Amino acid sequence: AEDGMRDEDWSMHEIIATLCNRRYSEKCVAYAESHDQSIVGSKTNAFWLMDAEMYDGMSTFEPASGVVERGMALHKMIRLITMAIGGEGYLNFMGNEFGHPEWVDFPREGNEWSHDHCRRQWNLADTEYLRYSLLNNFDKQMMRLDEMHKFLAHPHQFVSSACDTRKIIVAERGPLLFVFNFHPTETYTDLEVGVGMGGKYRICLDTDAFDFGGLGRVMHDAEHFTSPGGPVTWVGPYEQEPRPCAMKVTSPARSAQVYFKVPELEDPMAAAARMAGVSGFKEVRVSARDESGEHRQFASQGGPPAPGSQGGQAQGQQVPNQRRREVIDPADIDPDFSPGRPDNFGVQSRAPPPQARPAAPSQSSAPLPPSNYRPVVRKEIVDDSNIDPDFR
């Protein structure tokens, strides 16, 4: 870091106090680094974290060195935590989103009016085999996260945990849950974190994903379910009121994950009843044909109609000539069974009345087969070699 402090010695409480040090309801713009750091005489965050390794160690054709791996991990986490709880706006200086190396130096007398550093190398972010593109991909997804969930403008912000011992920060912003692990080596499995709302959660952003130059230590398709009662947590020396629910997650070292609550879907049967205009189903929905062969309006049998609905029949009322055919959506009916054609789907031919049924022929009157009759061979053999030898 610029002041010489190792990230192992960073205080989680001081990070939270700095990012949240603003008047309530006063909107602020947060930034992880400004354009002043890019001016000659200073360094950008990426340059402070990786320094000379940015010249030779950013190719994806070779494994990342320890310096590059650490620098990329912290660079993503610093930007994400600043955007998550730093304010209602997020500011970035051009090029810092993908860790632009070196500095900006405008032509002046001191550099003999040189234009060598008076530029931004956008080609670095566009080169797929350089790790700059991975940092740029993360920045795109971070912007997309706010587009989808609108957490920056959301008034709800709550930091439930900032533990200096485990280097863990847990914060809620809008509908999202952020879990940061700044520990250099410790990965926590089954880490219990507090959650504001119960339900099912899934990951929507992970700094450790392969697409962002991470190690891929978290399963993105895992579903996390909450349980009542949150754990006892602390923000520095201050104990926090437990959150209503708790959830267990995996938190790898030097990584951050963002979770969103999966919307609860309506019960399928309740949704079908609501769409049908009835309070519930006791029998299947039926459709009837009149004498002209046209479909009548769909009705619900056995269930009382919902308020404002015209469908449904009185309980016990017989509906003549109706076929017990369940129809989910008229648009899903096969065109072969459209009203313009006879609908014989599921209709069994009825036997004639007993008085009209022809008498069965007696055995004496049945014709006998000819004397040269031979039964037809019922098994066709294509190739004799294909017969299993055990059954010869």
Side-chain angles (χ1 to χ4, degrees):
E2 184 176 357
D3 56 2
M5 179 183 291
R6 304 181 306 166
D7 61 286
E8 294 89 335
D9 301 325
W10 290 354
S11 171
M12 303 296 103
H13 181 218
E14 290 186 9
I15 292 176
I16 295 301
T18 301
L19 292 173
C20 299
N21 185 19
R22 59 185 186 275
R23 285 191 289 263
Y24 178 72
S25 75
E26 184 178 73
K27 295 183 179 181
C28 296
V29 176
Y31 55 88
E33 51 188 331
S34 67
H35 68 281
D36 290 341
Q37 293 178 246
S38 299
I39 303 300
V40 63
S42 185
K43 293 182 180 180
T44 62
N45 284 350
F47 226 35
W48 280 115
L49 292 169
M50 293 177 278
D51 205 52
E53 287 282 338
M54 299 188 72
Y55 294 109
D56 302 322
M58 299 298 283
S59 173
T60 57
F61 295 146
E62 299 177 358
S65 64
V67 174
V68 171
E69 183 179 304
R70 166 187 174 271
M72 291 187 62
L74 292 177
H75 195 267
K76 291 176 287 186
M77 294 181 68
I78 291 171
R79 285 183 288 157
L80 181 60
I81 195 172
T82 303
M83 185 176 183
I85 59 178
E88 288 69 34
Y90 176 74
L91 178 65
N92 174 75
F93 180 67
M94 56 181 184
N96 291 350
E97 68 272 14
F98 61 87
H100 195 290
E102 297 183 333
W103 55 88
V104 175
D105 191 7
F106 296 103
R108 54 189 173 85
E109 186 178 359
N111 62 10
E112 298 181 355
W113 309 103
S114 172
H115 286 75
D116 289 344
H117 294 283
C118 183
R119 71 198 191 286
R120 295 277 88 178
Q121 301 183 54
W122 304 111
N123 61 298
L124 296 177
D126 297 333
T127 307
E128 296 183 355
Y129 61 83
L130 294 180
R131 291 187 169 89
Y132 298 105
S133 65
L134 304 179
L135 292 175
N136 192 52
N137 290 341
F138 175 76
D139 191 83
K140 291 180 180 179
Q141 291 302 315
M142 197 167 61
M143 299 298 109
R144 182 173 176 268
L145 185 69
D146 181 59
E147 292 178 1
M148 294 180 61
H149 299 280
K150 309 297 182 184
F151 67 90
L152 261 179
H154 203 285
H156 175 66
Q157 176 177 318
F158 187 86
V159 179
S160 61
S161 179
C163 180
D164 287 326
T165 303
R166 295 187 296 177
K167 302 296 182 185
I168 292 290
I169 294 177
V170 181
E172 302 169 17
R173 184 65 188 272
L176 303 179
L177 176 71
F178 295 80
V179 180
F180 297 87
N181 181 1
F182 284 93
H183 201 286
T185 58
E186 194 69 34
T187 294
Y188 303 103
T189 57
D190 292 335
L191 175 68
E192 191 174 30
V193 298
V195 186
M197 293 188 297
K200 179 173 68 176
Y201 286 78
R202 297 190 68 173
I203 288 180
C204 54
L205 185 63
D206 176 21
T207 64
D208 198 49
F210 289 119
D211 291 342
F212 310 140
L215 302 178
R217 293 168 289 181
V218 180
M219 295 179 59
H220 295 169
D221 57 349
E223 295 180 339
H224 305 266
F225 295 88
T226 61
S227 58
V232 177
T233 57
W234 299 74
V235 175
Y238 306 104
E239 183 177 357
Q240 303 299 300
E241 182 179 354
R243 303 302 286 154
C245 305
M247 182 175 70
K248 291 186 177 181
V249 299
T250 297
S251 181
R254 283 188 180 136
S255 73
Q257 289 75 39
V258 186
Y259 298 85
F260 76 103
K261 185 176 183 295
V262 179
E264 297 179 0
L265 300 179
E266 188 177 2
D267 179 70
M269 291 302 297
R274 176 176 54 81
M275 295 299 293
V278 298
S279 59
F281 286 118
K282 292 184 180 179
E283 298 182 49
V284 298
R285 287 175 57 80
V286 299
S287 64
R289 286 183 182 275
D290 54 23
E291 296 178 355
S292 64
E294 297 295 332
H295 274 288
R296 295 178 183 173
Q297 186 176 3
F298 289 107
S300 173
Q301 297 299 307
S309 172
Q310 300 298 326
Q313 298 287 339
Q315 186 172 0
Q317 180 179 351
Q318 298 296 326
V319 181
N321 299 327
Q322 286 191 336
R323 297 170 184 164
R324 311 298 255 183
R325 177 182 176 188
E326 183 176 3
V327 179
I328 299 176
D329 187 349
D332 291 337
I333 301 177
D334 194 307
D336 294 337
F337 301 107
S338 60
R341 300 186 181 184
D343 187 0
N344 297 323
F345 177 77
V347 179
Q348 298 179 356
S349 59
R350 298 187 178 183
Q355 62 273 18
R357 182 179 301 174
S362 60
Q363 294 184 358
S364 60
S365 61
L368 297 176
S371 58
N372 59 350
Y373 171 76
R374 294 291 184 271
V376 179
V377 179
R378 297 296 184 181
K379 182 176 181 182
E380 181 179 3
I381 300 177
V382 178
D383 189 350
D384 190 61
S385 62
N386 290 336
I387 301 178
D388 193 322
D390 293 336
F391 296 97
R392 286 188 179 274

